Amino acid sequence: MTRWSATALTWSIWPARSSSARGAPRSARQLDLPVIAVYQTDMPGYARAYHTGRLGEAAAWRRVRDIHNGADRTLAPSTASAASLHSRGIPRVWLWGRGVDTGRFDPAGRCAALRRSLAPEGQVLIGYVGRLAPEKRVDLLADVARLPGARLLIVGSGPAEAAVRKALPDALFLGPRHGSDLARIYASLDIFVHSGCCETFGQTIQEAAASGLPVVAPAAGGPLDLVEDGVTGYLVTPGDRGALARAVARLVADPRLRAAAGQAARERVLARSWTALGNALIGHYTAVLRAPGCRQGRPSQRKVGAT
């Protein structure tokens, strides 16, 4: 057992594992271990997206509070998610983002042959990468798919795929892709677009930026930290399909604007290696273990962090 697993317990919160997540703090108390919780999924946002009403959203927040109030430190992936947790009465929230492999996701992977096969008439290639699920609101890209001189590519699959295909008859669906194949597709695009408003971070946005792409995304959640409006792409009104199309159209019409925004996006993520993020996580472990009241095991009740 490593030093860190012997002295601190860390777990990530996913809806499908909520029961085990709630049991983790109890196990930690029994073992006299401090606890760090990693917040990853906007469960209340999902409750809204799946139309469970106010009662469903309130229940989701109760579950999130139950889990995270039992932790000595919660790590949130973005300033928006950290502020949301803090406003809902969850203390000891700190920022811890995500890394990106800038070696794999690199503009150098651009493939002329792939571009010819995907855009035989020389269209500007616009890409969406991610799950096809109701909360992703991929249907909002209908106007983007109809932009003249452009072609929308959808990479991914999920439970809403049939509905998305019906909403986007003009888009090209490539299915799920992984590894070097996915990286080659990213690098061969011209613009990346994201439509969902429930992202606590937005890893595909970061991968697109590493691939040298300008990004258009909603001004909500994780994208607020990842897209610098007017510099690395555009942030638009959440849920507004017309705003998405207008921002993408601006980039479609201006190759020099695309190039400048893509270069700026790449430069912004170069320092976000997984090594740097791993070192930051170890720093959070160290801070919790060294906090006043922490013996070898679980610290006494205290404030160990703030948003």
Side-chain angles (χ1 to χ4, degrees):
M1 184 177 286
T2 67
R3 174 188 175 192
W4 301 111
S5 61
T7 53
L9 175 65
T10 303
W11 84 99
S12 299
I13 307 307
W14 291 89
R17 300 177 182 175
S18 57
S19 59
S20 60
R22 294 179 74 184
R26 290 195 294 270
S27 299
R29 285 192 290 271
Q30 292 170 1
L31 296 170
D32 198 29
L33 295 176
V35 175
I36 292 176
V38 179
Y39 179 71
Q40 294 191 161
T41 304
D42 180 5
M43 293 174 65
Y46 280 25
R48 290 192 300 274
Y50 284 86
H51 307 293
T52 63
R54 292 182 180 179
L55 290 177
E57 186 176 354
W61 272 117
R62 284 196 298 272
R63 177 62 62 88
V64 170
R65 280 193 294 270
D66 286 347
I67 293 169
H68 287 276
N69 285 344
D72 298 286
R73 180 173 291 204
T74 286
L75 303 182
S78 64
T79 54
S81 59
S84 179
L85 291 171
H86 190 69
S87 71
R88 293 286 180 162
I90 297 170
R92 304 180 295 275
V93 181
W94 293 70
L95 279 175
W96 181 62
R98 301 291 180 267
V100 63
D101 186 344
T102 56
R104 166 168 284 180
F105 299 102
D106 188 322
R110 195 171 180 87
C111 177
L114 177 61
R115 286 184 55 81
R116 284 194 297 271
S117 69
L118 297 175
E121 298 175 11
Q123 300 101 317
V124 173
L125 289 178
I126 306 157
Y128 166 88
V129 178
R131 288 181 67 244
L132 303 182
E135 72 275 6
K136 300 299 184 180
R137 294 302 316 272
V138 187
D139 59 290
L140 292 173
L141 301 180
D143 291 347
V144 171
R146 290 192 287 268
L147 289 173
R151 191 170 203 190
L152 176 64
L153 309 179
I154 304 294
V155 180
S157 62
E161 182 169 351
V164 173
R165 284 180 176 272
K166 183 177 181 180
L168 306 178
D170 300 306
L172 178 62
F173 287 77
L174 301 182
R177 301 297 182 95
H178 307 281
S180 58
D181 185 27
L182 176 61
R184 187 169 63 112
I185 291 172
Y186 269 120
S188 300
L189 296 172
D190 298 298
I191 302 165
F192 186 80
V193 63
H194 188 77
S195 48
C197 305
C198 300
E199 300 298 325
T200 58
F201 187 71
Q203 185 63 10
T204 59
I205 292 174
Q206 194 162 242
E207 290 168 354
S211 304
L213 301 178
V215 174
V216 177
L224 291 170
D225 290 350
L226 300 177
V227 180
E228 186 175 354
D229 188 44
V231 178
T232 66
Y234 294 108
L235 293 169
V236 302
T237 303
D240 188 336
R241 77 185 218 175
L244 280 166
R246 288 190 295 274
V248 172
R250 194 178 310 170
L251 290 164
V252 168
D254 193 335
R256 286 188 293 183
L257 179 62
R258 291 200 304 270
Q263 181 178 347
R266 168 79 178 173
E267 291 172 354
R268 278 195 59 169
V269 301
L270 287 176
R272 298 178 191 164
S273 69
W274 281 112
T275 298
L277 270 291
N279 289 339
L281 179 60
I282 292 174
H284 287 294
Y285 285 175
T286 302
V288 169
L289 292 167
R290 291 179 179 175
C294 180
R295 304 184 301 278
Q296 173 67 8
R298 196 176 195 280
S300 59
Q301 292 298 318
R302 69 200 185 284
K303 185 177 182 180
V304 298
T307 301

